[in-house]
Amino acid sequence: MNIKKAFLISLCIVIGVVLISGGVVYKLGHDMYSSVNYVSDDSVAVEETLPEEAEEEETEERTGELVSDEEVTAIQESMTTTQETVEVVADEDIYNVLLVGVDRQERTWNGNSDAMILVSINKTDNRVTMVSLMRDTYVNIPGVGYKKLNAAYAYGGGPLLCETITETYKVEVERYVAVDFWDLVDIIDIIGGVDLEVSAEEVEVANGYIQDMCERLMNIDPSDHYFPAEGGAIHADGVQAVAYARNRYVGNSDFDRTERQRYVLSQLMAEVRQMSLTQMSEKMQSILGYVTTNISETEIWSMVTELPEMLEYDFETSRVPYDNLYSTVYINGQDMLVPDWEETLETLHDFIYGSDESDAANAG
């Protein structure tokens, strides 16, 4: 099984603890924030070329429709036309932050963002929405060109990915939190694991990942981490949770994998809600050093007074592309997801902002 396809859910953990943990932020203080890898946007350069590691191997049979050069041009023109008629939506009562899971073997480059969840904290409706943005979506990366969405982080880190999402999905996104694969298992274990309902079919695939991760990458005994063959209710440790979330072979490929991502995030938030202030403080002390973000200390403190009530907000999840609103095409040797952008943007904006903002944005 290809490690390049690994799903990175550590971003979910970090944002859940950092931004939605209520009063714990008071206790953490400046010393704890200083352990975060804060990176200002102007210090991140856009790469002209990427290492060989960035080239993803296609391990699955092609499913997309082979299209001609003329048809590719038509797809690009249609995308541009739609985006030019829709304004970027910004609402001061809604805070958007992008959760990024980075896939890379070495720290010598940015890595591909193989997991992306747009979290929107809606202070008007008292709800938090989590939208998975699928990595294979065909987009126009500013200054780079038409590629998969996950390549934006590889070329220009968090700032370029945020810019790409803002211009493509017409949702103002300026903030991100990122964690890479090598920190994944430890972070989940620090949280204390997560309760999962796992089917026997999912177990079969997950145990294969567990064996690969333990023997080839971590040099530990996999027998301590295997799921029971029958599945069921499991309190998963870091290895198990990662293996479960990597699974794109049960159900509808990457679509169901993103659903597993959101499920793990929701379950992690349930764990956080049960912690005492002391417990949260101790775990944050260990986790923050894994985080890369452009969220400043000042900005985090400005949110502190509102954080406790956010724990009581409703959580709603979704993903883009939506069912029946996309096609799969084969471009440059890869399957690409091409959404029906006009209806997709309207649906997305309505989900995050409500129908009034959505109608205004799509009216141009």
Side-chain angles (χ1 to χ4, degrees):
M1 297 179 181
N2 187 356
I3 189 63
K4 299 281 289 176
K5 302 297 184 182
F7 159 60
L8 310 171
I9 60 169
S10 53
L11 57 105
C12 302
I13 302 164
V14 171
I15 196 65
V17 178
V18 174
L19 295 183
I20 318 174
S21 293
V24 67
V25 181
Y26 288 102
K27 186 174 177 63
L28 295 176
H30 171 75
D31 290 341
M32 293 190 69
Y33 180 86
S34 64
S35 65
V36 174
N37 181 26
Y38 170 77
V39 179
S40 63
D41 288 352
D42 57 10
S43 68
V44 181
V46 177
E47 304 292 337
E48 295 184 3
T49 60
L50 300 179
E52 291 184 4
E53 182 184 348
E55 296 299 322
E56 296 185 80
E57 300 176 13
E58 291 292 333
T59 60
E60 300 175 6
E61 183 178 352
R62 174 175 68 87
T63 61
E65 176 187 358
L66 184 63
V67 291
S68 66
D69 291 343
E70 291 77 11
E71 289 171 318
V72 172
T73 299
I75 290 171
Q76 295 173 353
E77 290 177 349
S78 176
M79 184 190 311
T80 300
T81 299
T82 299
Q83 291 169 351
E84 287 178 347
T85 61
V86 179
E87 295 181 357
V88 174
V89 182
D91 187 328
E92 63 181 11
D93 291 326
I94 297 179
Y95 185 87
N96 295 318
V97 59
L98 183 67
L99 315 183
V100 186
V102 183
D103 179 14
R104 59 184 171 186
Q105 301 285 328
E106 304 289 342
R107 296 180 185 271
T108 55
W109 66 298
N110 292 325
N112 292 315
S113 55
D114 274 1
M116 292 161 285
I117 299 180
L118 175 59
V119 174
S120 301
I121 303 171
N122 189 323
K123 303 174 197 175
T124 301
D125 295 340
N126 295 335
R127 65 190 181 100
V128 176
T129 59
M130 296 174 285
V131 182
S132 295
L133 305 177
M134 294 187 65
R135 67 194 187 106
D136 293 340
T137 305
Y138 189 55
V139 301
N140 185 13
I141 302 173
V144 175
Y146 290 89
K147 295 183 180 292
K148 287 184 178 181
L149 178 62
N150 71 339
Y153 195 92
Y155 278 97
L160 184 58
L161 179 58
C162 287
E163 181 183 359
T164 302
I165 289 172
T166 297
E167 293 302 314
T168 302
Y169 298 89
K170 298 301 180 178
V171 174
E172 186 176 63
V173 184
E174 297 179 343
R175 302 291 179 257
Y176 69 92
V177 175
V179 181
D180 69 25
F181 174 77
W182 301 109
D183 302 322
L184 188 59
V185 172
D186 288 341
I187 293 176
I188 296 175
D189 285 337
I190 290 169
I191 293 295
V194 59
D195 290 329
L196 301 176
E197 282 283 347
V198 186
S199 70
E201 190 177 11
E202 290 171 325
V203 163
E204 184 176 359
V205 175
N207 281 345
Y209 279 122
I210 287 172
Q211 182 173 349
D212 176 70
M213 292 165 58
C214 290
E215 294 181 349
R216 186 167 66 88
L217 301 174
M218 304 173 68
N219 196 28
I220 61 176
D221 185 357
S223 63
D224 296 333
H225 301 279
Y226 286 134
F227 285 108
E230 68 276 9
I234 309 291
H235 188 75
D237 63 19
V239 172
Q240 292 171 321
V242 172
Y244 167 82
R246 289 178 60 184
N247 183 3
R248 61 182 292 169
Y249 298 101
V250 175
N252 185 12
S253 186
D254 204 40
F255 288 86
D256 278 9
R257 183 168 66 170
T258 63
E259 185 174 345
R260 293 184 183 97
Q261 297 173 12
R262 298 188 301 274
Y263 171 50
V264 170
L265 173 56
S266 298
Q267 294 300 94
L268 282 166
M269 290 314 305
E271 296 289 332
V272 171
R273 284 171 169 162
Q274 297 175 26
M275 293 179 186
S276 67
L277 180 64
T278 300
Q279 289 172 321
M280 285 190 283
S281 299
E282 291 174 349
K283 293 180 186 299
M284 283 290 289
Q285 184 90 46
S286 301
I287 287 173
L288 286 176
Y290 296 120
V291 177
T292 297
T293 185
N294 66 344
I295 303 176
S296 68
E297 181 178 6
T298 301
E299 187 171 343
I300 286 182
W301 296 138
S302 71
M303 298 171 62
V304 161
T305 57
E306 299 170 339
L307 288 174
E309 65 184 276
M310 291 180 188
L311 276 173
E312 305 303 319
Y313 284 7
D314 293 329
F315 282 70
E316 301 177 29
T317 67
S318 185
R319 59 117 169 97
V320 175
Y322 297 107
D323 290 343
N324 304 315
L325 286 180
Y326 74 97
S327 59
T328 305
V329 299
Y330 195 66
I331 302 175
N332 295 331
Q334 294 181 314
D335 281 337
M336 306 281 192
L337 302 176
V338 179
D340 175 341
W341 283 110
E342 183 174 356
E343 192 165 350
T344 292
L345 295 181
E346 183 175 355
T347 303
L348 176 63
H349 293 171
D350 185 40
F351 180 65
I352 296 175
Y353 297 100
S355 57
D356 291 342
E357 291 284 2
S358 174
D359 293 342
N362 285 281

